[in-house]
Amino acid sequence: MRKMKNVDEFRAEREELNRLVLARAGKEMKRFFNVDAGVYRDGALPAKVKELLGLVSSLALRCDDCVAYHLMRCREEGVTDGELEEALAVGLVVGGSVTMPHLRRAFRMWEELKSDAGA
Amino acid sequence: MRKMKNVDEFRAEREELNRLVLARAGKEMKRFFNVDAGVYRDGALPAKVKELLGLVSSLALRCDDCVAYHLMRCREEGVTDGELEEALAVGLVVGGSVTMPHLRRAFRMWEELKSDAGA
Amino acid sequence: MRKMKNVDEFRAEREELNRLVLARAGKEMKRFFNVDAGVYRDGALPAKVKELLGLVSSLALRCDDCVAYHLMRCREEGVTDGELEEALAVGLVVGGSVTMPHLRRAFRMWEELKSDAGA
Amino acid sequence: MRKMKNVDEFRAEREELNRLVLARAGKEMKRFFNVDAGVYRDGALPAKVKELLGLVSSLALRCDDCVAYHLMRCREEGVTDGELEEALAVGLVVGGSVTMPHLRRAFRMWEELKSDAGA
Amino acid sequence: MRKMKNVDEFRAEREELNRLVLARAGKEMKRFFNVDAGVYRDGALPAKVKELLGLVSSLALRCDDCVAYHLMRCREEGVTDGELEEALAVGLVVGGSVTMPHLRRAFRMWEELKSDAGA
Amino acid sequence: MRKMKNVDEFRAEREELNRLVLARAGKEMKRFFNVDAGVYRDGALPAKVKELLGLVSSLALRCDDCVAYHLMRCREEGVTDGELEEALAVGLVVGGSVTMPHLRRAFRMWEELKSDAGA
C-alpha cells in the first residue's frame, strides 16, 4: 500500500532529515546516534555480520526504512544473494507473516541496489 | 500520512512482488509461504472465521498490507458490514489507539471493495 | 522461563487485581474496562468467534495473561480441540516463531482446563 | 520510504476518515473513541503533559499518524522546542533505533507546524 | 501468570544483574546505559514528567520490569495517586487491552511502594 | 520481576511442552515447526551466524524463551564472549531500553551456560 522511493531518493531524504535531526538534537540524542553508528563497526564480529543482524532484527520489528538502510550497507559489505535470502528467511520465521509486506519490499530494493551497481 | 493505493493497484503490486519473492526464495521461505496459505483453508473452522482471525490479528499488529489483503478475502467469504465492524472493534480494543490510523484505512478500503463489487 | 500458575490461581489473582484496579481507576479507565467487556458480547458475530479473535490477536501480540483469559472463555463457549488448534495455527503464522513459547503455554493451559471440566 | 503529507493534508484526511469511521462504528467502537478523547483532558495532570505522554508512547510504538496528531496537539498546548526534543529523546531511548525514521519525520513535521504558525 | 517479586527483591536483583551486565559490556553498550540514564535528568522538562514518559511508554510496550523501575522513580519524584492513574490511563488507551495485565501489576506495585514508604 | 529457571529446568520444560504441542498440532502447525528448524541450518550462511540472527531478533522482539534457546545454540556453535556481547549490543540499540531486562537475563544465562560446560 505504500509507494517505494527509489534508492537515490531514499538516500537523499534520509541525509536531509538526519541533518535536521542533528541540528535540533540535544546531547543525549546525539550520543544515541553515535552509539547507533558504533555497534555496527568491525570488532569481534565483522561489520558484514553486524549489518545482517541489523537487517534481520529490523525485518522482525517491521521497520521499512531500517531494512532499506541495512540493505544498502549489506550490499556495500559484499553480502551475496544467497546470504541475503537466508538471513531474510530467519527474519520471516521469527517475525511471522506480518513481515511479508516488508520482505517483498526488501527483495525489490535489493534488485534496485544490484542494478544500480551494474549501471 | 500515507496515500492508500486503490484496490486494483494494491492487488497488482502484491502479485508482482510475490512473483519476485518466489523467484528469489529458497526452500524454507517457499515452505513458509505454503504454510501461510494453508492455515486459512476450511477445516474445523470455516475459511470465513479464519480470515477474520487474520484480519483482527493484523490490525492488532498494525500491518496495513495484511489488513488490506484479509479485507479482500473477507469480502470474498461474504463477511457482512456488521460482522466486519464487530471484528475490527475487537482489534481496536486489543491493540489500542495506535491501531486507529489502520482502522480508518480499513474502513476506507472496505468501502472501495463494496463499490467495486457494485460496479 | 516462567512458571505457569494453575488455572484456579490465575483466576483468583486476576479477580483480586481487577478489584484493586477498579478501586483506583478514574472515569476513563473504568469506561475502557466496560468497552473491553462489551466487544466480546454476542452480536452480528457470536461470542465464540469473538473470543477466538481475542485469543489469536493476544497470541500474535504475545500476551500470556490475555491468552489464558481467552482460553477460559473459549472453553466456556464450547470451542473444540480442532477449532482451537486451527485458531492458534493462524496466530502462530501471523506472529511468527516468537509466539511459540506462548503457544506451548496455551496448549498446557487448555489441557488443564479440560481436566478441570472432567473433574 | 514514505512521503509525508503536509500538515493541512494530514488534518483533512484524518477528519474525512474519522467521519467515515463514526458513520460505520457500532456502540463499543464509538465509546472507545470517547475514552480516547477523554484521557487527554486536563485533570490531575495538565493536558500538555498528557499530550507528551501520548506523543512519546506513539513514538515508542512507531505510529507515524499518532505522532503527527500529538505533535499538532503539543503545539497547541505550547510545548517548546526544548521540551519537545527531550520528550522525543526519551521515546528514542525507550524504543531504540527502529524509532529513528519516525523521529526524523517528527522533527520535519514540527518545523512545518512552526512555519504554519508564523505564517 | 507470573509471580511478582516484591519491591526489595526487584531492586536487589536489578542491581545484581546490572553489575553483571556492566562487567561484560563493551564500550557501546556502556554508552547506551549512560544515555539511558541521561534522558531522564531534569532539563527543559522536569525529571518527574520524564519518569511519567518512561512509565507510560513502558506500559504501552508492555515491559513489566521497565514499568516497575519507573514506578519506583515516580514515587521518588513525588507523583501523586491521581497523577499516576491518569498517566496509566493514557498508556492503557494507547496500548490497548493487552496492557491490562501490566496495568494490574503496576497498581499492585504502587500499593507496595506506598506501604513501604509508610513503614 | 520474573524468576529465571536454570538452564536444565528450561531445557526440560521446553522439551516436555514441545511434545505436548506436537501431539496436538495439525498439519500446518507441524510444517511451521519444520520450517523453524530449517532456517537455522548451515547454508550460504553458517549455522553460527544464523543463531546470532535468531538471538538478536529475539532480543529486539523481547522474547525471553527465544533468547534463552538461541543462547544455548550459540554456545553449541562456539560463539565467544566478545561475539556475544557485540551481537547483544546491536539488539539493545535496535530495540531500545525496553530490551534491557531481557539483556540482563541473557547475560545471566550465558554465565550459567559457561559454568555448566566447565563442570
Side-chain angles (χ1 to χ4, degrees):
Chain A
M1 251 118 101
R2 205 179 315 165
K3 270 272 150 65
M4 187 94 172
K5 288 180 212 123
N6 69 33
V7 174
D8 291 339
E9 216 184 316
F10 172 73
R11 254 189 253 266
E13 185 181 329
R14 190 174 184 280
E15 278 166 30
E16 182 202 321
L17 289 182
N18 269 352
R19 275 192 297 273
L20 173 62
V21 172
L22 291 175
R24 299 287 174 266
K27 190 179 68 168
E28 302 299 344
M29 199 179 275
K30 275 180 187 140
R31 289 166 81 193
F32 186 97
F33 275 67
N34 287 332
V35 174
D36 179 54
V39 292
Y40 296 103
R41 290 207 189 94
D42 275 320
L45 291 171
K48 178 180 153 180
V49 169
K50 292 179 171 186
E51 288 300 333
L52 288 170
L53 294 174
L55 174 70
V56 171
S57 49
S58 296
L59 178 61
L61 286 168
R62 299 180 283 133
C63 174
D64 268 342
D65 281 12
C66 313
V67 166
Y69 173 75
H70 288 295
L71 284 174
M72 296 192 316
R73 290 285 300 116
C74 281
R75 182 90 190 143
E76 291 168 1
E77 294 293 334
V79 169
T80 66
D81 286 5
E83 290 170 335
L84 184 86
E85 191 277 335
E86 290 185 8
L88 294 177
V90 171
L92 171 65
V93 167
V94 168
S97 67
V98 290
T99 68
M100 287 166 88
H102 308 274
L103 182 76
R104 289 183 190 106
R105 290 190 280 267
F107 274 112
R108 177 169 56 187
M109 193 178 191
W110 190 248
E111 293 301 305
E112 286 180 27
L113 287 164
K114 290 199 295 180
S115 64
D116 270 17
Chain B
M1 250 117 102
R2 203 178 317 165
K3 270 272 151 68
M4 187 92 172
K5 288 179 212 127
N6 70 33
V7 174
D8 291 338
E9 216 183 316
F10 172 72
R11 254 188 253 264
E13 185 181 329
R14 190 173 184 280
E15 278 166 30
E16 182 203 321
L17 289 181
N18 269 353
R19 275 191 298 272
L20 173 62
V21 172
L22 292 175
R24 298 287 174 265
K27 189 179 70 167
E28 302 300 343
M29 200 179 274
K30 277 180 185 141
R31 289 166 82 193
F32 186 96
F33 273 68
N34 286 332
V35 174
D36 179 54
V39 293
Y40 296 103
R41 291 207 189 94
D42 277 318
L45 291 171
K48 178 180 153 181
V49 168
K50 292 179 171 186
E51 288 299 333
L52 288 170
L53 294 174
L55 174 70
V56 171
S57 49
S58 296
L59 177 61
L61 286 168
R62 298 180 285 133
C63 174
D64 268 342
D65 281 13
C66 313
V67 166
Y69 173 75
H70 289 296
L71 283 174
M72 295 192 316
R73 290 285 300 114
C74 281
R75 182 89 190 142
E76 292 168 1
E77 295 292 335
V79 169
T80 66
D81 285 6
E83 290 169 335
L84 184 86
E85 191 277 336
E86 289 185 9
L88 294 176
V90 171
L92 171 64
V93 167
V94 169
S97 68
V98 288
T99 68
M100 286 167 89
H102 308 272
L103 182 76
R104 289 182 188 105
R105 291 189 280 266
F107 274 112
R108 176 169 56 186
M109 192 179 192
W110 190 249
E111 294 301 306
E112 286 180 28
L113 286 165
K114 290 200 294 181
S115 64
D116 271 15
Chain C
M1 251 118 100
R2 203 180 316 167
K3 270 272 150 65
M4 186 94 171
K5 288 179 213 126
N6 69 33
V7 175
D8 291 339
E9 216 183 317
F10 172 72
R11 253 189 252 266
E13 185 180 328
R14 191 174 184 279
E15 280 167 27
E16 182 202 321
L17 289 181
N18 268 353
R19 275 192 297 273
L20 173 62
V21 172
L22 291 175
R24 298 288 174 265
K27 190 179 68 168
E28 302 301 342
M29 200 180 274
K30 277 180 185 141
R31 289 166 81 192
F32 185 96
F33 274 67
N34 287 331
V35 174
D36 178 55
V39 291
Y40 296 102
R41 291 208 188 95
D42 277 319
L45 291 171
K48 178 179 152 181
V49 169
K50 292 179 171 186
E51 288 299 333
L52 288 170
L53 294 174
L55 175 70
V56 171
S57 51
S58 296
L59 178 62
L61 286 167
R62 298 179 285 131
C63 174
D64 268 341
D65 281 13
C66 312
V67 166
Y69 173 74
H70 288 296
L71 283 174
M72 296 194 315
R73 290 286 300 115
C74 281
R75 183 88 190 145
E76 292 168 2
E77 295 293 333
V79 169
T80 67
D81 285 6
E83 291 170 335
L84 185 86
E85 191 277 335
E86 290 185 9
L88 294 176
V90 172
L92 171 65
V93 167
V94 169
S97 68
V98 288
T99 68
M100 286 167 89
H102 308 273
L103 182 76
R104 290 183 189 106
R105 290 190 281 267
F107 273 112
R108 176 168 59 186
M109 192 178 191
W110 190 248
E111 293 301 306
E112 287 180 29
L113 287 165
K114 290 199 294 180
S115 62
D116 270 16
Chain D
M1 252 118 99
R2 202 178 318 164
K3 271 271 153 67
M4 188 94 171
K5 289 179 211 123
N6 70 33
V7 174
D8 291 338
E9 216 184 316
F10 172 71
R11 253 188 255 265
E13 185 181 327
R14 190 174 184 280
E15 278 166 30
E16 182 202 322
L17 288 182
N18 269 353
R19 275 192 298 274
L20 173 62
V21 172
L22 291 175
R24 298 288 175 263
K27 190 178 69 168
E28 302 300 342
M29 199 179 274
K30 277 180 186 140
R31 289 167 81 192
F32 186 97
F33 274 68
N34 286 332
V35 174
D36 179 54
V39 292
Y40 296 103
R41 292 208 187 93
D42 277 318
L45 291 171
K48 178 179 152 180
V49 169
K50 292 180 171 186
E51 288 300 333
L52 288 170
L53 294 174
L55 175 70
V56 172
S57 50
S58 296
L59 178 61
L61 286 168
R62 298 179 285 131
C63 174
D64 268 342
D65 281 12
C66 313
V67 166
Y69 174 74
H70 289 296
L71 283 174
M72 296 193 313
R73 290 286 299 116
C74 282
R75 183 87 191 146
E76 291 168 2
E77 295 292 334
V79 169
T80 66
D81 285 6
E83 291 170 334
L84 185 85
E85 191 276 336
E86 290 186 9
L88 293 176
V90 171
L92 171 65
V93 168
V94 169
S97 68
V98 288
T99 69
M100 287 166 88
H102 308 273
L103 182 76
R104 289 183 189 105
R105 291 190 279 267
F107 274 111
R108 177 168 57 185
M109 193 180 190
W110 190 249
E111 294 301 306
E112 287 180 28
L113 287 165
K114 291 199 295 181
S115 63
D116 270 15
Chain E
M1 249 114 104
R2 204 178 316 166
K3 270 273 152 63
M4 186 93 171
K5 289 180 211 125
N6 69 32
V7 174
D8 291 339
E9 217 184 315
F10 172 72
R11 253 189 253 266
E13 184 181 328
R14 191 174 183 280
E15 279 167 29
E16 182 202 322
L17 289 182
N18 269 352
R19 275 192 297 274
L20 173 62
V21 172
L22 291 175
R24 300 287 175 265
K27 189 179 68 168
E28 301 300 342
M29 199 180 274
K30 276 179 186 141
R31 289 166 81 193
F32 186 96
F33 274 67
N34 287 333
V35 174
D36 178 55
V39 292
Y40 297 103
R41 291 206 189 94
D42 276 320
L45 290 171
K48 178 179 152 180
V49 168
K50 291 180 170 187
E51 289 298 334
L52 289 170
L53 294 174
L55 175 70
V56 170
S57 50
S58 296
L59 178 61
L61 286 169
R62 297 178 287 132
C63 174
D64 268 342
D65 281 12
C66 312
V67 166
Y69 173 74
H70 289 296
L71 283 174
M72 296 192 315
R73 290 286 300 115
C74 281
R75 182 88 191 145
E76 292 167 1
E77 294 294 333
V79 169
T80 66
D81 285 6
E83 290 169 335
L84 184 86
E85 191 277 335
E86 290 185 9
L88 294 176
V90 171
L92 171 65
V93 167
V94 169
S97 67
V98 288
T99 69
M100 286 167 89
H102 308 273
L103 182 76
R104 289 183 189 106
R105 291 190 280 268
F107 274 112
R108 176 168 58 186
M109 193 178 192
W110 190 248
E111 294 300 307
E112 287 180 28
L113 287 164
K114 290 199 295 180
S115 62
D116 271 16
Chain F
M1 249 116 101
R2 202 180 315 168
K3 272 270 152 66
M4 186 92 171
K5 287 180 215 125
N6 69 32
V7 174
D8 292 338
E9 215 183 316
F10 172 72
R11 253 189 253 266
E13 185 180 329
R14 190 173 184 281
E15 279 166 30
E16 182 202 321
L17 289 182
N18 269 353
R19 275 193 297 274
L20 174 62
V21 172
L22 291 175
R24 299 287 175 266
K27 189 179 69 169
E28 302 300 343
M29 200 179 274
K30 277 179 185 140
R31 289 166 81 192
F32 186 97
F33 273 68
N34 286 333
V35 174
D36 179 54
V39 292
Y40 296 103
R41 291 207 188 94
D42 277 319
L45 290 171
K48 177 179 152 180
V49 169
K50 292 180 171 186
E51 288 299 333
L52 288 170
L53 294 174
L55 175 69
V56 171
S57 50
S58 296
L59 178 60
L61 287 168
R62 298 180 286 132
C63 174
D64 268 341
D65 281 12
C66 312
V67 166
Y69 173 75
H70 288 296
L71 283 174
M72 296 192 315
R73 290 286 300 116
C74 281
R75 183 86 191 146
E76 292 168 1
E77 295 293 333
V79 169
T80 67
D81 285 6
E83 291 170 334
L84 185 85
E85 192 276 335
E86 290 185 9
L88 294 176
V90 172
L92 171 65
V93 167
V94 169
S97 68
V98 288
T99 69
M100 286 167 88
H102 308 272
L103 182 76
R104 289 183 189 104
R105 291 190 281 266
F107 274 112
R108 176 168 59 185
M109 193 178 191
W110 190 248
E111 293 301 307
E112 287 180 28
L113 286 165
K114 291 200 293 181
S115 64
D116 270 16

